[in-house]
């Protein structure tokens, strides 16, 4: 589909991988279901099929990456390669990304860097979907944070949005005609609702603290990249607007900073955390459920909603018509 | 009290300020009630009265700060001054601190940096007090994150621990003989408890996400500073152990990174957030309640628990005896 829309083959592969990785890990909201929006964005000229990103080192440790309206995952991996290389001499390197499409799930990026022995932090903003604690208007993005930390046998990978749930999960309940649990979202009067059709804003996770965290990330990304704020952010869910969110990556090299990540203590500590429940399996380390699911789905395949599959087939048959 | 214990006058002032700032802002758990523990630590030789910290620049953008068993706030301000200066040329500078006493509340540090026009992030670990989601053993610190972002008229300041509440608040209920709300903590069988005496571990805020965040910060600080992990961390609550937690500060200079923090859009966005509730005052920006309380207490004084006041008076009368 992407190649038919003039995306170079190597870039199409990176973008397709990003979508499929989300489905493999059990996050269909960031999976192949986004292909039709992306295809429409390319057709409409708001996402460029050929990604020409410009990297400008502001200092030895900080690079501004202008994505030139290109594909988020292509820009992200280009930026990360430069940051990883730079962090080997500077210890810390930060990438400030603007003007590219949705990056997709953040876990695969930080996991890859952590697999290479560096620490990676990722922040990205999105359309305003989350209401402030005490409020009811959608003014804050779902603003995820991802953290990758080298460890044996596998990196530690946290990838969490600051909303209670994704809009995708609310839409899924809407499609099924099922109520949502109280606490997920509010209606236009600011009341907690169980009716997925009445939802106007997702609630922050963890009350006032989760709200503070999401707001801090919103401000942080804008303060570092110059990207837009709150309800002014467009271009990741729609098919007609140039994307104006920002993304931030940071790579840190523990070896340069004098810390040995390969001694046993990180592994031992994570084992202790795993064993910290009443029964085996009660405590799950972030990222491990996804990793297991990914391994299983690589063998057994990915279950897709039939609407998503039909959409993909239709796109495949005719990628270029609206 | 501190001067009588051989702390140089200027350092005593910095340390006293750190304690009083917490009381001014409404966080007595980090306030003057910690003075007696600190005094005992100095008497017992596990905290040095004279802070001789050693800064070693690992790269242009990263400095390792060995606190030499000294006073946390003195080490922190020394590190921050160096980081702020360095970030003016490198855009980003990170400080990796070990071997100093408890820093106290993080908000005043990041607020000061943000007041100077730079972004500041702070992470610190602590004794293990929080249980993993699904578990019941205290294996994770309360691991706060603080974020300071320049804005007009006052900086944005987030300072949040990743536990549901502080141990101080649970102890306060214990002293009053009052039950704690369900969800704050668990007992030795891993059950949610309302009995403050039965508490063995504080619950993470925000369920699995808050747990993931606290665990990520625990690993991050250890991976950056080489500090200890989990239940091996000692020396901020006790009076007999050399402190082995780590602290991380990061300063980022938006001017160097090409972002103008003084245009109106950050102020306008925060105003929009404030107005996002049904009624005026429903939505509170993180840090603003503390700022108002601080202003009021600077005029009206600080209410202290009588036990804390008696303790302080006793210390004042005889600072050097155990």
């Amino acid at each position: 589909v992407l190649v038919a829309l003039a995306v170079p083959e190597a870039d199409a592969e990176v973008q397709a991988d990003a979508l499929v990785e989300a489905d493999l890990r059990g996050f269909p909201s960031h999976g192949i279901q986004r292909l039709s929006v992306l295809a429409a964005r390319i057709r409409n000229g708001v996402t460029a099929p050929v990604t020409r990103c410009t990297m400008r080192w502001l200092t030895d440790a900080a690079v501004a990456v202008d994505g030139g309206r290109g594909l988020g995952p292509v820009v992200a991996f280009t930026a990360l390669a430069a940051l990883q290389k730079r962090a080997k001499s500077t210890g810390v390197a930060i990438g400030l990304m603007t003007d590219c499409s949705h990056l997709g799930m953040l876990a695969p990026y930080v996991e890859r860097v952590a697999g290479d022995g560096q620490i990676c932090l990722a922040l990205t903003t999105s359309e305003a979907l989350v209401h402030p604690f005490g409020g009811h208007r959608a003014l804050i993005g779902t603003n995820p944070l991802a953290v990758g930390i080298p460890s044996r046998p596998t990196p530690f990978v946290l990838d969490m949005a600051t909303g209670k749930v994704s809009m995708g999960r609310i839409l899924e309940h809407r499609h099924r005609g099922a109520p949502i649990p109280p606490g997920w979202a509010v209606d236009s009067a600011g009341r907690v609702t169980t009716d997925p059709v009445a939802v106007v804003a997702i609630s922050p996770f963890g009350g006032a603290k989760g709200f503070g965290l999401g707001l801090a990330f919103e401000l942080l990304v804008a303060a570092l990249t110059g990207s837009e704020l709150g309800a002014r952010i467009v271009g990741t869910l729609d098919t007609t607007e140039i994307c104006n969110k920002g993304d931030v990556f940071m790579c840190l090299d523990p070896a340069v900073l004098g810390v040995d990540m390969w001694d046993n203590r990180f592994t031992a500590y994570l084992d202790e955390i795993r064993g910290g429940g009443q029964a085996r399996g009660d405590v799950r380390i972030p990222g491990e459920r996804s990793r297991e699911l990914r391994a299983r789905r690589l063998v057994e395949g990915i279950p897709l909603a039939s609407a998503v599959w039909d959409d993909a087939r239709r796109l495949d048959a005719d990628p270029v018509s609206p």
Side-chain angles (χ1 to χ4, degrees), chain A:
Chain A
V1 171
L2 293 169
V3 169
L5 289 165
V7 177
E9 202 154 327
D11 291 3
E13 205 164 305
V14 169
Q15 175 66 64
D17 267 357
L19 297 173
V20 174
E21 274 297 328
D23 281 317
L24 281 170
R25 292 165 193 246
F27 293 88
S29 63
H30 288 47
I32 209 75
Q33 76 169 50
R34 290 202 180 223
L35 181 62
S36 63
V37 167
L38 183 60
R41 291 184 58 78
I42 295 172
R43 281 196 307 268
N44 294 343
V46 289
T47 291
V50 181
T51 302
R52 289 189 187 89
C53 74
T54 315
M55 292 206 281
R56 191 163 52 92
W57 287 93
L58 305 166
T59 70
D60 269 2
V63 64
V65 184
D66 181 328
R69 289 198 201 174
L71 297 170
V74 177
V75 177
F77 280 120
T78 308
L80 279 177
L83 291 171
Q84 285 187 257
K85 193 174 165 204
R86 186 55 61 95
K88 282 179 190 163
S89 59
T90 57
V92 51
I94 186 165
L96 315 168
M97 299 164 51
T98 51
D99 202 18
C100 65
S101 66
H102 192 247
L103 262 53
M105 201 179 167
L106 295 179
Y109 302 107
V110 301
E111 186 174 44
R112 187 194 282 207
V113 176
D116 291 340
Q118 289 185 342
I119 295 164
C120 188
L121 304 180
L123 288 173
T124 178
T125 48
S126 76
E127 272 85 350
L129 293 170
V130 176
H131 65 78
F133 184 72
H136 64 286
R137 288 168 55 206
L139 290 171
I140 305 168
T142 50
N143 300 358
L145 164 73
V147 180
I149 299 179
S151 85
R152 289 214 165 109
T154 51
F156 171 87
V157 176
L158 175 78
D159 178 2
M160 49 167 269
T162 48
K164 186 96 179 175
V165 289
S166 68
M167 190 50 94
R169 277 185 79 185
I170 289 173
L171 293 178
E172 186 230 314
H173 282 72
R174 197 181 289 183
H175 294 148
R176 284 196 289 120
I180 57 171
W184 279 17
V186 300
D187 64 17
S188 60
R191 288 176 306 234
V192 171
T193 184
T194 58
D195 176 4
V197 180
V199 168
V200 299
I202 299 168
S203 298
F205 94 96
K209 288 190 182 193
F211 154 59
L213 201 65
L215 179 58
F217 293 165
E218 184 96 23
L219 295 166
L220 204 49
V221 171
L224 290 171
T225 68
S227 62
E228 266 300 350
L229 285 161
R232 281 161 218 85
I233 297 183
V234 291
T236 75
L237 300 171
D238 62 74
T239 60
T240 55
E241 306 296 328
I242 293 168
C243 189
N244 58 7
K245 51 82 189 162
D247 311 290
V248 174
F249 280 120
M250 187 178 295
C251 295
L252 300 124
D253 196 315
V256 176
L257 304 176
V259 177
D260 177 10
M261 294 305 295
W262 307 126
D263 76 2
N264 196 42
R265 67 195 192 100
F266 290 92
T267 306
Y269 177 59
L270 288 173
D271 276 346
E272 205 179 349
I273 296 282
R274 268 183 213 99
Q278 295 287 86
R280 218 181 139 74
D282 279 356
V283 176
R284 303 294 305 242
I285 303 287
E288 292 193 342
R289 203 184 301 264
S290 285
R291 186 173 289 131
E292 287 164 21
L293 190 63
R294 183 179 188 279
R296 197 161 70 238
R297 289 187 167 180
L298 278 174
V299 176
E300 297 174 3
I302 300 168
L304 282 183
S306 56
V308 173
W309 182 239
D310 293 346
D311 228 34
R313 302 254 300 178
R314 197 162 40 237
L315 266 170
D316 186 41
D318 181 8
V320 293
S321 308

